[in-house]
């Protein structure tokens, strides 16, 4: 993972020749002075990746129940169960837009319009029903490009905060852009409650077949969970729900 610390002298990603996605522009901050870092290995018993999806009780009132998970990194069965359950409302929103090739200004306007439109759709869902909003780029195509995951999660998160509806909905991100533990940390840190690394699952199926894909994915999940706990420990946090939406980056 990218780490920022006193004396860290590497060039910022904006000066790099390799793109690598939006997440590469952010470095994880580390705890200093008042909030000491944690040792995620020795203090693992005092840390948890538990997350609760759905509308948070507000003054003891909630329109639906919450779904408690042991980890914010979801598997294919987890996603199917969330979509099939009837205890809390679930809605899927695609963060895709129609790119305008050869015209950067028009492409920028199309991107901004798509982001604003999706944020408004999630806001209406939070107001009318609340529950779990799944942000997905599964159906990406030449005519439908995916919006950068970090950008869309942050935009939707900030819109919900501005409207006072942040506790009415949990964001679950299903994306092929999630490739590493740093991507997972960025998406959670900018407001998501859980993630499903779609490209990891599809790559596992391609490499190991349908039968071996599950074991391969769970090996990735185990490694990503340990990396996430290490990242949480750097800022002195012991729960994934405290890390979610904290924006501990620079």
């Amino acid at each position: 993972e990218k780490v920022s610390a006193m004396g860290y002298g590497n060039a910022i990603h904006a000066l790099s020749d390799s793109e690598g996605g939006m997440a590469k522009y952010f470095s994880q901050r580390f705890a200093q002075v008042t909030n000491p870092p944690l040792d995620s290995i020795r203090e693992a018993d005092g840390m948890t990746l538990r997350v609760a999806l759905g509308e948070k009780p507000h003054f003891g009132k909630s329109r639906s129940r919450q779904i408690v998970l042991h980890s914010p990194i979801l598997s294919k069965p987890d996603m199917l169960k969330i979509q099939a359950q009837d205890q809390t409302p679930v809605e899927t929103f695609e963060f895709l837009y129609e790119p305008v090739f050869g015209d950067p200004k028009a492409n920028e306007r199309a991107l901004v319009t798509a982001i604003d439109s999706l944020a408004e759709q999630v806001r209406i869902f939070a107001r009318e029903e609340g529950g779990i909003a799944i942000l997905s780029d599964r159906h990406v195509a030449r005519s439908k490009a995916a919006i950068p995951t970090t950008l869309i999660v942050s935009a939707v998160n900030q819109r919900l905060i501005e409207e006072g509806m942040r506790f009415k909905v949990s964001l679950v991100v299903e994306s092929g852009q999630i490739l590493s533990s740093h991507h997972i940390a960025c998406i959670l840190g900018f407001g998501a409650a859980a993630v499903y690394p779609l490209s990891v699952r599809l790559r596992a199926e391609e490499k190991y077949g349908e039968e071996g894909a599950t074991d391969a994915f769970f090996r990735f999940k185990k490694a990503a969970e340990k990396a996430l706990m290490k990242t949480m420990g750097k800022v002195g946090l012991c729960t994934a729900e405290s890390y979610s939406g904290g924006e501990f980056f620079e």
Side-chain angles (χ1 to χ4, degrees):
E1 309 87 56
K2 287 176 68 66
V3 181
S4 175
M6 288 183 285
Y8 183 77
N10 286 12
I12 61 175
H13 191 67
L15 301 178
S16 173
D17 291 332
S18 61
E19 175 51 42
M22 184 169 286
K24 293 291 184 68
Y25 288 88
F26 298 95
S27 297
Q28 170 74 49
R29 284 205 295 255
F30 70 105
Q32 301 179 67
V33 188
T34 57
N35 192 36
L38 298 172
D39 186 327
S40 62
I41 298 176
R42 290 191 297 178
E43 301 185 57
D45 290 343
M47 301 180 71
T48 178
L49 294 176
R50 171 194 172 278
V51 292
L53 303 182
E55 184 175 5
K56 304 290 188 291
H58 184 63
F59 295 115
K61 297 179 180 179
S62 179
R63 292 171 290 183
S64 57
R65 302 178 68 181
Q66 289 187 298
I67 300 174
V68 179
L69 303 173
H70 295 298
S71 169
I73 304 173
L74 307 180
S75 62
K76 184 178 180 180
D78 292 333
M79 288 295 295
L80 295 175
K81 289 177 184 177
I82 290 172
Q83 293 168 330
Q85 57 80 37
D86 58 2
Q87 298 298 308
T88 187
V90 179
E91 188 83 27
T92 300
F93 304 88
E94 292 192 335
F95 54 99
L96 305 174
Y97 80 106
E98 294 185 13
V100 181
F101 299 102
D103 190 341
K105 290 293 184 181
N107 189 64
E108 180 182 345
R109 288 193 297 270
L111 179 60
V112 172
T113 300
I115 293 172
D116 289 340
S117 175
L118 179 60
E120 180 64 15
Q121 291 175 43
V122 176
R123 184 193 70 82
I124 293 173
F125 170 71
R127 183 189 65 194
E128 300 295 334
E129 297 184 70
I132 301 172
I134 300 176
L135 307 181
S136 174
D137 65 0
R138 176 185 286 269
H139 299 120
V140 65
R142 177 177 171 82
S143 60
K144 290 286 186 179
I147 300 172
T149 316
T150 306
L151 179 62
I152 193 63
V153 169
S154 179
V156 172
N157 182 60
Q158 292 302 318
R159 174 66 67 85
L160 292 172
I161 291 173
E162 290 171 2
E163 299 292 337
M165 297 182 181
R166 189 60 191 90
F167 290 152
K168 295 184 181 296
V169 67
S170 292
L171 302 178
V172 174
V173 179
E174 175 190 60
S175 175
Q177 302 176 49
I178 305 171
L179 308 175
S180 68
S181 58
H182 180 64
H183 288 96
I184 294 172
C186 270
I187 294 169
L188 295 177
F190 281 105
V195 299
Y196 173 42
L198 180 61
S199 59
V200 175
R201 172 69 194 195
L202 295 178
R203 176 59 174 158
E205 291 179 359
E206 179 184 346
K207 189 173 178 63
Y208 299 104
E210 188 70 34
E211 294 183 0
T214 299
D215 289 339
F217 181 86
F218 275 98
R219 287 196 293 270
F220 168 85
K221 179 179 177 179
K222 182 178 180 181
E225 287 172 348
K226 288 188 175 183
L228 181 58
M229 288 184 68
K230 183 176 73 172
T231 303
M232 288 162 45
K234 291 171 186 172
V235 285
L237 296 176
C238 58
T239 67
E241 290 195 318
S242 297
Y243 188 84
S244 178
E247 301 181 1
F248 302 101
F249 300 95
E250 60 185 25

